[in-house]
Amino acid sequence: MFHPVSFFIGLRYSRSRQRTGFVSFITFFSISGILLGVTALIAVVSVMNGFEGELKKRILAIVPHVLVEVPKDDTSNWQQTKKDLSQLEFVQNISPIVEAESLVLSNNALQGVLIQGIEPEQEQHNLVFQHMLNGQLNSLSTTAYQVIIGQSLARKLDVSQGDKIRVVVPAKTIFTPMGRIPVQRIFTIAGIFNMGSQVDDSVIYMHKNDANKLLRVKDDEVSHLRLYLQDAFLAEQVVEKIHQQFPSLTARSWQTSQGTLFSAVKMEKNMIWLMLSLIVAVAAFNIVSALVMVVIDKQGEIAILQTCGMDRAGIVKIFIAQGVINGFWGVALGSFFGVLLALNLNDIMSVLGVNLLGGGYATQSLPVDLQWLDVLTVSGSALLMSFLATLYPAYRASLTQPAEVLSHE
């Protein structure tokens, strides 16, 4: 098979054993370092992608993507506002809700929560109700004064389905013979959900009409319109459009309350990417040491090639080819083992008996989201580092003076 001369010689150098065993030793460990670095980077980035996806699914399933406050003079005629907002791009569904901060009391505990009064028929996009442990969403419509709470909150209150809890709204008060007291009512727990997130113990659901009765307002009033978007990360664009097209409306996105959490996760992901990339870079630049020693070892052969007519560019290509081929083997094997590790990480942890999530999450597995774009990015970056590492040794090889070298042969 035909090969360009420079590539052929570089390929032979990469496959042959050097006269100095230490050169072969460094070459082997530079390839092994790239292999381990690429493997670790692909596996860890896949796990970070999985954690980011789980946060998006679990938290944004409860937190409204966009929340539009209904003007106080339009709380009973919000249908037109809903119709206008439904024409916006990226808006998938709109549901009316009533929100209020409250306290829930059981016989054993007290907890502050956020009430969300909803119309169950409008909540088909709410992922919370796909994670019901007990009860059904429709029970909020069939029976008055029912409530659905999270499993974490149920544990804190020491209650279960069918038990009763007292819901108190400190901001709303009424006059009684004993003076002014907060409005309150007994609710029956109709269902328990488990999203596995921190909001499981901070949000409770009830029918909108029950919430309005608790807050002493008309049944047809709503405080907010909840917008479900095609992609929650488009929320800021939608909020900007609302402010432009409907200046009288006040809208806020989930990033107002939860944006710092996702920013922290993104920064952590970037820092892990940077640290592991430095490991790959260190391994790739070990190629410099190996190639410099090869150049010293091959001085005589370089001089002979030059006397046979090979120019400096040809000499440079020989050692670039050798370094890139070594780097390619490290990247190829590292990508293969990285993908294999990412796809089987939970099985490997199970066999080894390792629980990376801690004792409280023994039944949960690591979320792994292998994205091929990340694999290509890691592989391409490692190959680029390998190429850059070859430039200096290849340049040094091209400066060899045949007369000086061959005079000592």
Side-chain angles (χ1 to χ4, degrees):
M1 181 181 293
F2 172 76
H3 293 284
V5 174
S6 297
F7 177 79
F8 175 76
I9 297 174
L11 181 63
R12 288 292 300 270
Y13 280 176
S14 66
R15 293 188 297 183
S16 64
R17 293 182 60 86
Q18 308 301 327
R19 288 194 296 267
T20 304
F22 187 63
V23 177
S24 299
F25 175 82
I26 292 181
T27 301
F28 171 76
F29 275 94
S30 65
I31 295 175
S32 300
I34 295 174
L35 185 155
L36 292 175
V38 170
T39 299
L41 188 53
I42 290 175
V44 172
V45 168
S46 297
V47 173
M48 292 301 297
N49 288 337
F51 274 119
E52 189 175 25
E54 284 296 306
L55 280 176
K56 179 179 177 181
K57 181 179 72 174
R58 293 176 182 269
I59 293 181
L60 298 185
I62 296 180
V63 177
H65 297 172
V66 175
L67 202 61
V68 178
E69 184 176 350
V70 177
K72 294 185 180 300
D73 58 351
D74 193 34
T75 54
S76 299
N77 188 27
W78 49 267
Q79 288 86 354
Q80 184 60 43
T81 303
K82 176 183 176 182
K83 183 178 179 181
D84 294 338
L85 292 175
S86 64
Q87 304 301 318
L88 293 174
E89 189 179 7
F90 308 128
V91 176
Q92 193 172 21
N93 186 51
I94 301 177
S95 63
I97 62 173
V98 176
E99 280 194 339
E101 295 181 350
S102 68
L103 298 172
V104 291
L105 298 85
S106 67
N107 294 330
N108 302 306
L110 168 71
Q111 176 75 20
V113 297
L114 177 67
I115 292 175
Q116 285 199 3
I118 62 173
E119 291 185 350
E121 300 78 11
Q122 302 292 325
E123 295 290 333
Q124 62 269 25
H125 293 281
N126 196 329
L127 295 180
V128 170
F129 304 107
Q130 299 177 15
H131 294 79
M132 296 292 295
L133 299 179
N134 298 300
Q136 297 292 331
L137 174 62
N138 295 334
S139 59
L140 296 180
S141 300
T142 57
T143 308
Y145 304 119
Q146 304 283 305
V147 66
I148 292 177
I149 68 175
Q151 185 181 40
S152 178
L153 179 60
R155 287 175 178 170
K156 289 183 178 180
L157 299 178
D158 193 19
V159 293
S160 58
Q161 184 181 9
D163 291 344
K164 296 183 182 298
I165 57 174
R166 184 180 298 273
V167 180
V168 181
V169 183
K172 289 283 185 177
T173 59
I174 57 174
F175 284 105
T176 69
M178 294 180 292
R180 183 183 291 272
I181 63 172
V183 297
Q184 54 189 290
R185 187 176 288 273
I186 299 295
F187 282 79
T188 302
I189 299 175
I192 297 175
F193 65 87
N194 179 28
M195 285 295 297
S197 66
Q198 62 183 10
V199 292
D200 281 10
D201 63 352
S202 61
V203 178
I204 64 173
Y205 293 91
M206 62 180 66
H207 197 281
K208 179 175 69 68
N209 294 341
D210 294 337
N212 283 336
K213 290 176 181 178
L214 177 65
L215 298 174
R216 305 302 175 95
V217 297
K218 297 178 180 179
D219 286 349
D220 58 348
E221 289 190 9
V222 300
S223 58
H224 298 85
L225 294 175
R226 173 174 177 163
L227 276 61
Y228 291 93
L229 307 182
Q230 297 173 4
D231 185 348
F233 289 92
L234 298 172
E236 286 298 325
Q237 299 181 31
V238 174
V239 169
E240 185 177 351
K241 289 182 180 179
I242 291 174
H243 289 160
Q244 291 175 353
Q245 300 182 24
F246 310 98
S248 61
L249 297 179
T250 301
R252 66 177 186 269
S253 71
W254 60 268
Q255 293 175 332
T256 303
S257 59
Q258 303 293 331
T260 53
L261 174 61
F262 282 86
S263 298
V265 172
K266 184 176 181 179
M267 182 177 66
E268 183 179 3
K269 178 181 175 181
N270 291 337
M271 291 304 298
I272 289 177
W273 183 289
L274 175 62
M275 288 187 292
L276 293 178
S277 295
L278 291 176
I279 295 175
V280 177
V282 170
F285 279 90
N286 281 338
I287 294 175
V288 175
S289 303
L291 284 183
V292 167
M293 292 184 178
V294 170
V295 169
I296 296 173
D297 192 46
K298 303 291 186 182
Q299 287 286 301
E301 297 177 20
I302 295 171
I304 292 172
L305 289 172
Q306 288 178 322
T307 57
C308 292
M310 181 171 286
D311 57 8
R312 288 187 173 183
I315 300 298
V316 169
K317 291 176 184 178
I318 289 175
F319 292 97
I320 288 179
Q322 181 183 354
V324 170
I325 289 170
N326 291 338
F328 171 79
W329 280 114
V331 171
L333 292 174
S335 299
F336 173 76
F337 287 115
V339 171
L340 197 65
L341 178 61
L343 294 177
N344 298 279
L345 185 58
N346 286 305
D347 293 335
I348 294 173
M349 294 298 101
S350 177
V351 171
L352 296 178
V354 178
N355 179 22
L356 297 180
L357 297 180
Y361 300 89
T363 61
Q364 296 189 15
S365 59
L366 279 174
V368 178
D369 180 14
L370 179 64
Q371 298 182 6
W372 293 108
L373 179 60
D374 288 338
V375 176
L376 292 176
T377 302
V378 171
S379 302
S381 300
L383 281 175
L384 178 61
M385 292 178 191
S386 300
F387 169 74
L388 295 176
T390 64
L391 296 181
Y392 176 72
Y395 172 73
R396 286 291 303 273
S398 68
L399 298 180
T400 300
Q401 299 297 325
E404 294 181 6
V405 173
L406 295 179
S407 64
H408 300 291
E409 292 291 332

